[in-house]
């Protein structure tokens, strides 16, 4: 069975390109042959048609390599990120995104609506939606949010796994509940309202459980976790409880399956020797909780250690072959690959 085109909920390509010391990171992405999980040739090989391209800004002094094996049992929250540093890195990464589009000869498209994504996929261009993971670059008066929206921002996680002026993120611990700290601040609640007004998707993947419920109470949009899994299968605070999944279902929201091995494995370890069966267990649980129309992919490519049988974007057909052998039929595979994300984005960003 051919692999359907895949639209993915989360990647960290832009951070990888920002850290790339080669003479021309944009050319290396477009031509291939460099490190990382996604470049244009790997995307073509795996029928990776597009996704949410995240801007993520590391804390001062950090040079995290989340794609390396590591112990997930008790990693403290990173230090807070100053706004001026966050803005410099944010502008750098968005500049890279825009340069990818400009240099691609029509093969890469920054998309601002579901219609843009469909049009890019139809002509064979890689469809990119600008996402921000952690809102440290945004001021409490939201002037920079206006600028980011004009640049193409259509999705935002108010927090990454650290504290900022808008709220609190979950640290990397295992095993642990996501009920691990405070929720949104007053500024965070105003950010939710501002995003609703602009039709910017609010991503709940890194927020505490209290923050999740704060968003659920305030937001008029579907609840979305772009790259999270199921807490009852892998009890990481980055995964979603049964109550959270019910709230997402009831809002007609969505969850993207995170490929990060520490959020897939029963032992919570970031190790490459993780099987596709672990991914299938989470997909089965997500579909049981949410239904077939509210689940997709949220790989975390270039931001996590993923199962060795997948390897990178070129290995996505191996996942879909395994899902077909598991009994998922062609209509369900189409929904998981891109149909559910496009439907969700039509209901959120327009």
């Amino acid at each position: 069975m051919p692999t359907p085109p895949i639209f993915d909920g989360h990647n960290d390509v832009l951070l990888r390109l920002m850290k790339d010391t080669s003479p021309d990171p944009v050319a290396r992405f477009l031509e291939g042959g460099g490190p990382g999980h996604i470049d244009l040739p790997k995307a073509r090989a795996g029928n990776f048609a597009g996704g949410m391209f995240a801007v993520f800004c590391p804390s001062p002094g950090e040079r995290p390599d989340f794609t390396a094996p590591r112990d997930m049992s008790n990693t403290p929250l990173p230090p807070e990120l100053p706004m001026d540093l966050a803005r410099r890195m944010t502008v750098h990464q968005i500049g890279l995104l825009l340069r990818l589009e400009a240099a691609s000869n029509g093969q890469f498209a920054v998309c601002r609506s579901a219609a843009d994504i469909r049009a890019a996929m139809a002509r064979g261009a890689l469809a990119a939606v600008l996402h921000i993971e952690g809102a440290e670059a945004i001021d409490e008066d939201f002037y920079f949010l206006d600028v980011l929206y004009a640049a193409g921002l259509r999705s935002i996680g108010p927090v990454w796994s650290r504290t900022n002026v808008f709220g609190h993120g979950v640290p990397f611990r295992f095993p642990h509940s996501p009920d691990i700290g405070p929720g949104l601040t007053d500024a965070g609640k105003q950010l939710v309202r501002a995003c609703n007004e602009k039709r910017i998707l609010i991503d709940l993947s890194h927020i505490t459980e209290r923050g999740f419920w704060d968003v659920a109470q305030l937001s008029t949009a579907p609840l979305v976790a772009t790259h999270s899994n199921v807490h009852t299968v892998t009890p990481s605070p980055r995964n979603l409880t049964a109550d959270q999944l019910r709230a997402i279902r009831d809002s007609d929201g969505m969850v993207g399956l995170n490929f990060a091995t520490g959020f897939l494995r029963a032992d919570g370890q970031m190790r490459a020797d993780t099987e596709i069966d672990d991914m299938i267990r989470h997909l089965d649980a997500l579909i049981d909780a949410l239904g077939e129309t509210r689940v997709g992919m949220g790989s975390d490519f270039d931001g996590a250690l993923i199962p060795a049988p997948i390897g990178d974007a070129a290995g996505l057909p191996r996942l879909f072959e395994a899902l077909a052998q598991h009994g998922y039929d062609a209509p369900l595979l189409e929904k998981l690959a891109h149909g559910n994300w496009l439907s969700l984005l039509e209901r959120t960003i327009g």
Side-chain angles (χ1 to χ4, degrees):
M1 179 184 300
T3 303
I6 296 162
F7 185 89
D8 180 64
H10 188 88
N11 72 63
D12 285 291
V13 167
L14 299 177
L15 175 64
R16 193 193 87 219
L17 295 181
M18 185 181 76
K19 294 161 60 178
D20 191 328
T21 58
S22 67
D24 191 345
V26 167
R28 185 146 75 156
F29 177 92
L30 296 172
E31 296 164 7
H37 294 145
I38 304 175
D39 57 31
L40 189 59
K42 288 172 185 170
R44 298 279 188 250
N47 217 9
F48 181 96
M52 308 280 213
F53 280 62
V55 169
F56 169 68
C57 303
S59 291
E62 281 197 313
R63 289 291 179 267
D65 182 6
F66 296 119
T67 64
R70 58 199 170 104
D71 181 5
M72 300 292 288
S73 58
N74 189 10
T75 303
L77 284 171
E80 294 186 33
L81 177 64
M83 181 185 290
D84 60 344
L85 179 57
R87 285 193 174 175
R88 288 200 300 272
M89 289 190 284
T90 296
V91 170
H92 188 160
Q93 291 179 57
I94 294 174
L96 286 165
L97 182 74
L98 298 175
R99 289 181 183 189
L100 282 170
E101 182 177 48
S104 71
N105 195 27
Q107 297 182 89
F108 186 97
V110 178
C111 299
R112 292 165 169 81
S113 67
D116 287 350
I117 298 168
R118 292 186 188 277
M121 290 173 63
R123 66 177 184 268
L126 189 61
V129 175
L130 175 57
H131 169 81
I132 284 185
E133 186 173 39
E136 284 85 354
I138 296 172
D139 56 282
E140 294 182 53
D141 293 318
F142 305 128
Y143 290 115
F144 201 57
L145 182 66
D146 293 341
V147 172
L148 293 171
Y149 185 83
L153 179 70
R154 293 297 182 270
S155 175
I156 187 167
V159 296
W160 180 68
S161 288
R162 66 186 164 212
T163 300
N164 65 26
V165 69
F166 299 109
H168 300 262
V170 291
F172 298 105
R173 295 182 186 171
F174 186 90
H176 210 288
S177 160
D179 186 8
I180 201 168
L184 293 178
T185 63
D186 288 342
K189 293 173 183 178
Q190 290 299 323
L191 178 63
V192 170
R193 296 184 181 102
C195 289
N196 282 170
E197 289 173 4
K198 290 183 176 295
R199 301 196 70 179
I200 297 173
L201 183 151
I202 301 164
D203 177 23
L204 300 168
S205 278
H206 279 273
I207 203 164
T208 61
E209 187 172 3
R210 292 187 207 177
F212 176 100
W213 294 118
D214 287 340
V215 175
Q217 183 176 15
L218 285 168
S219 180
T220 58
L223 301 176
V224 180
T226 63
H227 57 304
S228 293
N229 296 334
V230 180
H231 192 268
T232 56
V233 180
T234 301
S236 164
R238 277 281 283 103
N239 289 341
L240 297 158
T241 67
D243 285 344
Q244 288 175 306
L245 290 168
R246 275 191 289 272
I248 292 169
R249 178 201 64 199
D250 292 347
S251 76
D252 201 15
M254 177 120 180
V255 176
L257 175 77
N258 193 328
F259 294 8
T261 59
F263 311 139
L264 291 169
R265 296 170 59 97
D267 62 8
Q269 291 299 302
M270 280 289 185
R271 291 175 43 173
D273 60 342
T274 300
E275 301 300 326
I276 290 177
D277 283 349
D278 292 306
M279 306 172 80
I280 294 175
R281 272 192 288 276
H282 280 274
L283 280 173
D284 284 344
L286 285 170
I287 291 169
D288 285 346
L290 300 172
E292 293 187 358
T293 62
R294 302 181 188 93
V295 182
M297 301 295 117
S299 67
D300 217 352
F301 278 144
D302 284 313
L305 185 68
I306 67 167
I310 304 298
D312 55 35
L316 285 167
R318 290 191 282 275
L319 171 59
F320 279 78
E321 289 164 10
L323 293 175
Q325 292 172 4
H326 184 64
Y328 288 17
D329 61 18
L332 176 54
L333 293 177
E334 286 274 334
K335 292 173 187 174
L336 296 175
H338 63 267
N340 290 343
W341 270 123
L342 292 182
S343 176
L344 181 281
L345 290 170
E346 284 170 346
R347 300 195 304 276
T348 51
I349 70 172

